[in-house]
């Protein structure tokens, strides 16, 4: 959870393209439900979409929709024949995201899958393999998401995983935000496996939240 915007982010965001009406609407929805602090920052979204565009994605999977902000960013990297599947457990969040993404849902370019992603991800496996997978959902289920992602990403595809620092909890600092033992264990277990996995080239991006990127060889 972002408590403040670092000066470096402020500078970056003064240089990149400002968010348009659709993204600002999604951000406003996150404010309305008191979750603005966990919405993806323009800095991080810009970085991921720059990287995603390099693999020319046609099929993107997102785990954790919130109000649809990151979905809007990823959709910009798709061709007109591309599609994004985004998974959200909360009916309230999914309803708001449906408004943010209405244009793309109607065109068939985006589909919101409601329910527990661990259970629902299997329903789209026939559509794979996928070009880009973004993990930003339930931290206690991160290892399960990773297992699914590594089995359903194409060679040369990218996996992005946000919040891998858990606000410092992974190295023992619980001063900013408290996480459960299960959350910490699964994020650390996932991270260790990714960094050691012989089928992936992986690296950290030291954002405020910690972003892990893995490319399948």
């Amino acid at each position: 959870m972002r408590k403040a915007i670092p000066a470096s982010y402020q500078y970056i965001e003064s240089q990149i393209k400002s968010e348009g009406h659709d993204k600002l609407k999604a951000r406003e929805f996150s404010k309305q439900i008191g979750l603005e602090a966990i919405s993806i920052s323009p800095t991080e979204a810009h970085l991921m979409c720059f990287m995603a565009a390099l693999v020319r994605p046609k099929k993107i999977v997102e785990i954790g929709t919130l109000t649809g902000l990151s979905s809007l960013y990823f959709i910009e990297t798709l061709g007109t024949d591309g599609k994004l599947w985004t998974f959200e457990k909360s009916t309230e969040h999914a309803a708001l995201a449906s408004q943010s993404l209405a244009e793309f849902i109607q065109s068939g370019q985006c589909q919101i899958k409601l329910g527990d992603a661990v259970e629902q991800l299997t329903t789209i496996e026939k559509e794979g393999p996928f070009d880009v997978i973004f993990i930003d959902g339930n931290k206690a289920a991160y290892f399960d998401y990773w297992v699914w992602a590594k089995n359903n990403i194409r060679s040369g595809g990218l996996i992005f995983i946000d919040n891998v620092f858990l606000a410092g909890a992974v190295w023992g600092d619980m001063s900013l935000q408290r996480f459960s033992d299960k959350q910490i264990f699964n994020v650390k277990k996932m991270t260790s496996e990714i960094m050691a996995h012989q089928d992936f080239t992986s690296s950290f991006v030291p954002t405020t939240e910690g972003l892990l990127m893995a490319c399948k060889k």
Side-chain angles (χ1 to χ4, degrees):
M1 183 175 292
R2 298 165 182 84
K3 301 290 185 180
I5 302 174
S8 59
Y9 279 35
Q10 293 178 45
Y11 174 73
I12 291 168
E13 290 163 20
S14 73
Q15 301 298 313
I16 62 179
K17 182 181 177 181
S18 298
E19 293 182 330
H21 173 73
D22 54 350
K23 295 187 182 73
L24 292 175
K25 180 180 177 181
R27 246 183 229 290
E28 181 58 34
F29 285 150
S30 69
K31 288 182 184 179
Q32 291 175 16
I33 57 176
L35 293 176
E36 180 187 10
I38 70 169
S39 289
I40 193 165
S41 72
T43 299
E44 293 153 358
H46 190 267
L47 170 64
M48 285 195 297
C49 288
F50 171 79
M51 297 297 296
L54 297 178
V55 303
R56 300 182 182 276
K58 290 189 176 182
K59 299 178 182 180
I60 298 177
V61 176
E62 176 185 59
I63 302 172
T65 314
L66 194 58
T67 60
L69 179 60
S70 52
S71 301
L72 289 167
Y73 272 101
F74 277 115
I75 285 170
E76 290 180 345
T77 71
L78 291 169
T80 55
D81 58 342
K83 184 169 181 177
L84 178 139
W85 293 264
T86 182
F87 291 78
E88 177 56 53
K89 188 173 183 178
S90 165
T91 54
E92 179 185 16
H93 299 172
L96 293 172
S98 294
Q99 296 181 58
S100 302
L101 298 165
E103 173 188 348
F104 304 102
I105 293 170
Q106 185 175 5
S107 70
Q109 200 168 19
C110 176
Q111 182 179 6
I112 298 174
K113 304 283 285 185
L114 183 62
D116 188 328
V118 174
E119 300 171 358
Q120 293 294 318
L121 282 164
T122 57
T123 65
I124 66 164
E125 288 179 357
K126 63 182 182 298
E127 305 287 351
F130 302 96
D131 305 301
V132 173
I133 297 173
F134 178 42
I135 297 173
D136 191 22
N138 174 17
K139 310 312 173 211
Y142 261 32
F143 188 79
D144 293 326
Y145 299 154
W146 151 247
V147 170
W148 185 87
K150 72 178 180 180
N151 291 328
N152 289 278
I153 193 78
R154 70 164 171 85
S155 295
L158 289 171
I159 301 172
F160 298 103
I161 307 168
D162 201 11
N163 307 114
V164 296
F165 292 164
L166 293 181
V170 291
W171 56 76
D173 182 357
M174 298 281 269
S175 61
L176 295 176
Q177 188 178 353
R178 296 200 65 83
F179 290 88
S180 69
D181 290 343
K182 182 178 181 180
Q183 289 173 318
I184 296 169
F185 175 81
N186 278 292
V187 170
K188 291 176 73 173
K189 180 182 178 183
M190 174 201 70
T191 300
S192 295
E193 181 171 307
I194 291 172
M195 296 304 294
H197 205 295
Q198 63 181 5
D199 293 336
F200 288 83
T201 300
S202 306
S203 184
F204 289 96
V205 180
T207 61
T208 57
E209 296 295 300
L211 178 67
L212 187 55
M213 298 192 302
C215 179
K216 188 171 185 180
K217 296 177 183 177

